[in-house]
Amino acid sequence: MAATAVSALYADRAGLRLYPHVFTSRQVDLAPGGTSLYLGAPLLSVLLVGVLLWWRRSRPVVVAVALVGLCTLFPVAPAAAIALFTVASRCDTRTSRVITAVGLLLIPLCLAVEGAFDAPHMAAAISGALVVLGSVGWGLFLRTMRERALRAERESELNAVQARLREREAIAREMHDVLAHRLSLLSVHAGALTFHPHAPAEQIRQAAEVVAVSARRAVEDLRQVLGVLRTPLDPDTTGGAEPPQPTLGDLEHLLTENRGAGMDVEMDMRLTRAPQPDDFTSRTVYRIVQEALTNARKHAPGEKVWITLAGAPGEGLTLEIVNTLREPMPRSAPVGTGLGLIGLAERAALAGGQLTHGAEAGRFSVLAHLPWAA
C-alpha cells in the first residue's frame, strides 16, 4: 500500500491524477521554506493513510469518508478505492449508496472550487468517477456472491433437515403399520389365555405358541424398521441389502395369520396378472390391508371383514375393506387416535391415489384408488 501511495504521489506530481484536487493552481505555504500543502509531507500522508486503512474493517464508513475527503488534497485515490470497496462489501446497500454519492459529488465540487475545466482536470474527474464506481461495484459484486453462498448453504441445511423429517415420518408410518399389527395379534391371544385359564392344555399351548411367534416377529420387524436409521442415504455406501418389503404376493400370508388369530376374513381378488403394479403401489396395498385388519381386530372384534381388490393396467387398482360394527361398542374396546388412517391416506397420496374411510349403516369401510401404469 505504501508503494502504491508513493507511486500515485509521483504520478500526481507529473500531472497524472486519479482524482481531482483543490489548491492545485495556488500554493498554501506551511513553512518559511515554501513547502506547499499539496506537495509537502508525502511520508506523512502515506503514514496517515496506513493508519486509516488499519481501521477500515471496524470503522468502514468513517475511514471511507476520511480517505475520499483526503483525495481532494493528496494523491491517495488507491487507499480511497480500498476503503470504498470495504464499505460496499461489508455494509448495507443504503450505506454504500450514500458513500458512493459522497465520492461522486466531491468531483464536481473540486472542479467548481478550482475553477478549471481543461483537459487534465476533466481527465482527473473521469478517472475519479471510475475509481469510485469500480471500487463500489466490485465490492457489491463480492458481497452478492458471498450472500448467495450463504443462502445456498442455508438452503442446503434446510433441505437436509426436511429430508431427515421426511425420513422420520416414513419410519414412524412403518413402525405403526408393522408393530400395531403384530402387537394386536399378541394382545388377542394373550387376552384369550387370561379369560380362559381352564382351557384345554392343547389350546393353551397353541395360544402360547402364537404369542411367542408374534412377539419374536414383532422384535424382528422392529429391528428391520430401526435399521433404516443406520442405513446411509447413498445406496452405494450401504453395508448390506435392505430387508425385503411385503407386497401383493404376501397378502395370502397376512390373511392366514389373521385367520389364525380368530378373524373371519373373506378376500375377493380380481386382478390382471401382467404386468404387475410397481413395488411402491404393491407395498401400499399391503399396508392398507394390514392396517384395516388391525383396526377391525381392535374396534370390531369377532366381526366379519370383506376385502375386495380389483383392477387392471391402465385402469388402476380399487381396494375396498368393509367390516361390520358391533352395537353398542364394548367398554373395553380400545380408543384409537386415528393416526393409522391418516397414515394410510398419506401413503395413498404418495402413490398418486386417494383413500377415504367412514362408518355407515353399521359398517366401517376403507376405500382406496391407486394408479396402475399400463
Side-chain angles (χ1 to χ4, degrees):
M1 182 62 220
T4 305
V6 172
S7 299
L9 175 63
Y10 281 102
D12 192 88
R13 293 182 65 177
L16 301 176
R17 303 187 182 97
L18 295 177
Y19 200 91
H21 304 318
V22 294
F23 309 130
T24 58
S25 60
R26 50 190 181 275
Q27 303 292 322
V28 179
D29 291 336
L30 294 177
T35 303
S36 67
L37 174 65
Y38 175 62
L39 296 177
L43 295 179
L44 181 61
S45 65
V46 171
L47 179 62
L48 178 61
V49 166
V51 172
L52 288 175
L53 287 180
W54 180 265
W55 299 100
R56 72 184 187 278
R57 291 187 176 89
S58 59
R59 298 290 187 273
V61 176
V62 175
V63 171
V65 172
L67 287 176
V68 170
L70 287 175
C71 278
T72 63
L73 299 174
F74 301 103
V76 292
I82 295 176
L84 291 171
F85 167 82
T86 304
V87 170
S89 61
R90 291 178 172 267
C91 300
D92 57 89
T93 304
R94 182 176 180 274
T95 302
S96 300
R97 289 175 178 174
V98 172
I99 298 301
T100 304
V102 171
L104 293 176
L105 289 176
L106 285 179
I107 295 175
L109 181 62
C110 289
L111 295 178
V113 171
E114 195 66 13
F117 297 93
D118 54 2
H121 286 83
M122 295 304 297
I126 295 174
S127 64
L130 291 177
V131 167
V132 172
L133 295 177
S135 302
V136 173
W138 182 246
L140 291 175
F141 172 75
L142 291 185
R143 190 183 73 181
T144 302
M145 297 299 295
R146 184 169 61 249
E147 291 175 350
R148 286 183 180 178
L150 294 175
R151 191 182 307 114
E153 184 178 355
R154 288 193 297 266
E155 291 177 355
S156 177
E157 294 176 354
L158 179 61
N159 291 335
V161 171
Q162 292 176 347
R164 288 194 293 268
L165 290 177
R166 288 193 296 267
E167 183 181 2
R168 289 177 181 272
E169 291 173 358
I171 293 173
R173 284 195 297 266
E174 203 73 17
M175 290 182 65
H176 178 276
D177 293 343
V178 173
L179 294 182
H181 173 69
R182 296 295 183 193
L183 295 179
S184 63
L185 284 176
L186 193 152
S187 177
V188 168
H189 289 282
L193 290 175
T194 302
F195 286 104
H196 300 284
H198 302 296
E202 181 63 21
Q203 292 184 4
I204 293 178
R205 185 191 66 79
Q206 292 178 356
E209 183 179 356
V210 172
V211 169
V213 171
S214 297
R216 184 172 65 252
R217 289 181 177 176
V219 172
E220 292 174 355
D221 292 335
L222 180 60
R223 286 174 178 172
Q224 290 181 355
V225 173
L226 295 182
V228 178
L229 293 175
R230 298 189 297 270
T231 303
L233 295 180
D234 187 358
D236 296 333
T237 61
T238 53
E242 183 180 357
Q245 297 295 321
T247 58
L248 285 176
D250 300 297
L251 277 179
E252 190 61 37
H253 176 73
L254 177 65
L255 298 180
T256 301
E257 192 177 44
N258 282 272
R259 287 167 181 154
M263 292 190 69
D264 185 4
V265 184
E266 182 178 328
M267 179 75 174
D268 182 15
M269 183 181 297
R270 299 188 299 271
L271 296 177
T272 302
R273 290 299 176 185
Q276 290 295 315
D278 62 88
D279 291 341
F280 187 78
T281 301
S282 182
R283 186 163 60 249
T284 301
V285 171
Y286 181 93
R287 292 305 187 193
I288 292 175
V289 174
Q290 184 183 54
E291 177 66 18
L293 292 176
T294 301
N295 289 339
R297 187 166 51 250
K298 288 167 54 179
H299 303 292
E303 300 300 316
K304 187 171 183 177
V305 180
W306 292 270
I307 302 174
T308 304
L309 180 60
E315 298 178 3
L317 283 170
T318 300
L319 174 63
E320 185 177 17
I321 307 168
V322 181
N323 65 269
T324 55
L325 296 175
R326 181 179 299 180
E327 297 291 347
M329 290 289 292
R331 294 183 179 180
S332 59
V335 179
T337 61
L339 295 179
L341 293 173
I342 294 175
L344 292 184
E346 292 176 351
R347 280 184 179 274
L350 288 175
Q354 59 181 357
L355 182 142
T356 57
H357 56 81
E360 185 179 357
R363 292 189 172 193
F364 187 86
S365 64
V366 176
L367 180 62
H369 297 283
L370 301 173
W372 188 355

